[in-house]
Amino acid sequence: MSQKQELTGSNKRKITVKQLAFCAISIALGTVLSYVKLFHFPWGGSITLLSMLIIVLPGYFYGLGVGLVTAIAYGALQLIIEPYVIFPLQLVMDYFLAFGALGLSGLFANAKYGLVKGYITGVLGRYVFVVLSGWIFFGEYAWEGWAPLPYSLVYNGIYVFAEAFVTIVIIMLPPVKSAIHRIKAMT
């Protein structure tokens, strides 16, 4: 490594054009799939057709940094398309942190069963942020007799984990698993 690289920090890995294109396609496809709602809840949240999986893939294919950037960009696009903002911190939690957590899939980019591990990690990260947001900012919508935190845990758990369950079943199917591995090899 040259002295110039050491001083400038230019030894960091940069995103390639191929990766950028794949991430852009993932964001676009994830956005389209976010409109395919299997069930939409009255106070926000929905079970979609694999939209979280599509956003998890860049992290699984390219690692944590690319995964986080892609997932945060997806959150920003969701904010632009369907904003529901009552407080600035709620905006950050619901759009940038919750969707951004899906990029945690990159922690398992090279692990055995990395897609499943990464997907579960990303979904759990998203769940943490939507629960915190629900508890802090939307507690007034708690069902009668429910405290805000248990309400947020259950309400958000229903839609987040229902989609996660369906997605895990689908990605465990041998043809789907094989197709994802072939795509990863091409990336």
Side-chain angles (χ1 to χ4, degrees):
M1 179 167 24
S2 73
Q3 186 178 14
K4 184 178 181 181
Q5 285 177 322
E6 288 176 20
L7 293 175
T8 63
S10 62
N11 61 341
K12 294 182 180 180
R13 196 172 138 211
K14 302 213 186 291
I15 190 166
T16 66
V17 172
K18 185 177 183 179
Q19 291 171 335
L20 185 60
F22 182 82
C23 295
I25 291 168
S26 294
I27 292 167
L29 185 56
T31 300
V32 169
L33 290 175
S34 74
Y35 284 102
V36 181
K37 296 181 182 187
L38 305 176
F39 190 83
H40 183 73
F41 288 82
W43 291 284
S46 58
I47 301 169
T48 67
L49 184 62
L50 307 175
S51 66
M52 289 193 295
L53 171 63
I54 301 303
I55 301 306
V56 163
L57 288 176
Y60 171 62
F61 291 163
Y62 302 119
L64 182 62
V66 172
L68 289 172
V69 168
T70 302
I72 290 168
Y74 175 75
L77 186 58
Q78 290 295 309
L79 173 63
I80 292 167
I81 293 172
E82 288 188 277
Y84 187 83
V85 179
I86 56 174
F87 297 105
L89 184 56
Q90 173 261 324
L91 174 151
V92 171
M93 290 178 80
D94 280 343
Y95 293 96
F96 297 108
L97 296 177
F99 286 117
L102 294 172
L104 294 173
S105 62
L107 292 170
F108 300 95
N110 298 314
K112 185 174 183 177
Y113 305 111
L115 179 57
V116 173
K117 290 176 183 177
Y119 181 77
I120 291 170
T121 301
V123 167
L124 288 174
R126 179 174 182 212
Y127 177 68
V128 166
F129 289 112
V130 295
V131 164
L132 287 172
S133 176
W135 176 38
I136 296 167
F137 303 108
F138 300 101
E140 66 191 58
Y141 298 108
W143 300 310
E144 188 174 325
W146 283 68
L149 181 57
Y151 162 76
S152 185
L153 287 164
V154 172
Y155 183 88
N156 290 296
I158 291 170
Y159 74 86
V160 169
F161 294 128
E163 181 172 339
F165 176 76
V166 169
T167 302
I168 289 171
V169 168
I170 290 171
I171 63 176
M172 294 305 290
L173 295 172
V176 174
K177 188 188 297 187
S178 174
I180 291 172
H181 287 297
R182 282 196 312 270
I183 293 168
K184 184 173 183 174
M186 290 188 303
T187 64

